[in-house]
Amino acid sequence: MSTVAFITARGLFGRRRALLLLPLPILLVGLALLCRMYDVSPDMWGQAVIVALGLAVVLPVVALIVGTGVLGSEVDDGTIVHILTKPLARRDIILAKYAVAASVTTVVSAVPLFLTGVLAGSARLGGALAVAATVGAFAYSALFLLFSLVSRRPVLVGLVYILVWEGLLGNFVSGTKNLAIGQYVIAITDKIAPNGMMDTPVSLTTAIVMSAIFTVAGTVFAINRLGSFSLAGETS
């Protein structure tokens, strides 16, 4: 299992895909730093930078890039066959790749969000953002890893989820917020560090329970899906 994780991490950072992880976090911290340098009140930029950019874009997009990258390319180019011939349980393969995806997403998103919170003048807010981002990273990673196994266009499916389900419908259809990982992240952040920037009808209990459900269900379904792959690289 550790070997699979090592190979996955090495492959992920050895591809151009890894370069896609840097621009958004750099932009997030850079904007916050500029606002801090020019003494702009966090009340004026917090909603746009921290919530609209950090939580609604940086976190899910980073998770999408990583989550679909740890396995999706292997499914597309057929190298998944070589993995399946190894004496490894399908469960161990998925868990190793999920661990890499969740860990990388956590580091790449939680660290810049923490720095952004600190630049907004509150270490507590920074800590809350880091904790919430970690929870969101685990939930998003499980979902996007599953997408890479059930669709030939996992990035497109993931973007539809982020932009349409969480972004568009989430703003106009209240019921969808209870099934949106982004709303769980906002709810957790606001509970740890109450502020005027976070606005969600989702309770902390719902956020924690649903995040756990997304994480466990996504991983279990991914394991079952990989189990349906034959050595020909097709599903049975």
Side-chain angles (χ1 to χ4, degrees), residues 147-208:
F147 285 171
S148 70
L149 286 167
V150 299
S151 173
R152 292 184 179 274
R153 297 290 183 271
V155 175
L156 178 60
V157 176
L159 286 174
V160 169
Y161 173 81
I162 295 170
L163 299 176
V164 178
W165 184 262
E166 290 199 347
L168 183 61
L169 295 179
N171 289 327
F172 297 102
V173 183
S174 60
T176 62
K177 292 186 176 182
N178 289 318
L179 294 173
I181 297 172
Q183 294 297 318
Y184 311 153
V185 175
I186 291 175
I188 293 171
T189 302
D190 188 52
K191 186 64 176 180
I192 297 175
N195 57 83
M197 293 179 287
M198 312 293 170
D199 181 25
T200 178
V202 177
S203 67
L204 178 63
T205 300
T206 299
I208 294 174

Side-chain angles (χ1 to χ4, degrees), residues 102-140:
S103 298
V104 172
T105 300
T106 296
V107 173
V108 177
S109 59
V111 171
L113 279 167
F114 171 77
L115 294 175
T116 302
V118 172
L119 289 171
S122 173
R124 182 177 180 180
L125 175 60
L129 288 167
V131 171
T134 300
V135 174
F138 276 76
Y140 276 126

